[in-house]
Structures are given as C-alpha cells and as structure tokens.
Amino acid sequence: QVQLVESGGGLVQAGGSLRLSCAASGRTFSGYTAGWFRQSLGKEREFVADIIRYGDTTHYAGSVKGRFAISRDNAKTTVYLQMNSLNPEDTAVYYCAARSSIYYTTSPGTYDYWGQGTQVTVSS
C-alpha cells in the first residue's frame, strides 16, 4: 500500500510558478511510476506528466510540455511538479498517482494509488 499526499497548490497570477509536491508513505516511489493528473470543473481527469519507475524517463502532455517539469528526490519519497508560465487554463485540482507498470500510458485507470488532490488556481 502507498499513501500519497499532495501539497503546494494555491492561487497564482498568470505567468507565475508553483511547485507541487507528492509525499509517499508506506513505500517509496522507487518501485512505482509516478504521475500527475488534473481535473477542472466539468471535465474529465487528464494526464499531465509521469516519471517511470527505476529510471528517469518522463512524459508530458502537449499542453504543458516546456512549462512543467516532473522530478523526484534521491530518496524517492517525494515527487515534484514544477509549473512555470502558468495560465488560467491550468486551473484545476492536481492529483498525484502511482502505478507499478512501466509502459507509457495517459489513462487514469491504469494507476493504483491516488492522493486527495490540491487546488491550483491561476488568475488572469
């Protein structure tokens, strides 16, 4: 079992930055692929980024590529999402998730563990 807790959300002006953190307890992230998803009001949960277990291969949604960066610490207990050049379309609840598989997928259904989410609001 892995428990995930996100933090770092908040209100920021367009063009600003935020860094989200996802702390794992129970087990480290080293045995899991970690992903970030987001869900805005009335929309389905969408893939943002992932970092594959054991290695450092990352993938990004086209809408955030070049602006967001996913990483994890050396102890592999925390995964981060650095978000730069934020715009109002990035406003959503951001969720951290973990899965044991290593193939590329953007489907939320492939993830086994989820955090409770953290709100990010970008004002224009």
Side-chain angles (χ1 to χ4, degrees), residues 9 17 22 26 41 52 69 75 79 86 102 108 119-120:
S17 299
C22 176
L41 202 61
I52 304 300
V79 172
L86 286 161
I102 62 173
Q119 176 71 47
V120 171

Side-chain angles (χ1 to χ4, degrees), residues 18-41:
L18 283 174
R19 189 175 81 155
L20 305 183
S21 299
C22 176
S25 61
R27 300 185 69 172
T28 68
F29 271 115
S30 60
Y32 295 90
T33 290
W36 285 96
F37 288 77
R38 66 186 182 186
Q39 189 168 18
S40 51
L41 202 61

Side-chain angles (χ1 to χ4, degrees), residues 26-93:
R27 300 185 69 172
T28 68
F29 271 115
S30 60
Y32 295 90
T33 290
W36 285 96
F37 288 77
R38 66 186 182 186
Q39 189 168 18
S40 51
L41 202 61
K43 294 186 178 180
E44 293 187 351
R45 194 167 296 189
E46 65 172 355
F47 171 80
V48 175
D50 70 8
I51 184 165
I52 304 300
R53 72 174 185 174
Y54 299 131
D56 289 320
T57 300
T58 58
H59 305 100
Y60 296 93
S63 59
V64 307
K65 200 167 187 177
R67 301 188 297 123
F68 291 12
I70 188 171
S71 62
R72 58 185 166 203
D73 66 8
N74 290 334
K76 295 182 171 57
T77 59
T78 305
V79 172
Y80 304 97
L81 185 68
Q82 177 67 43
M83 306 186 295
N84 300 325
S85 301
L86 286 161
N87 59 62
E89 290 70 39
D90 296 315
T91 294
V93 177

Side-chain angles (χ1 to χ4, degrees), residues 32-33 52-53 99-103 105 110 112:
Y32 295 90
T33 290
I52 304 300
R53 72 174 185 174
R99 58 182 168 94
S100 58
S101 56
I102 62 173
Y103 56 84
T105 176
T110 61
D112 303 306

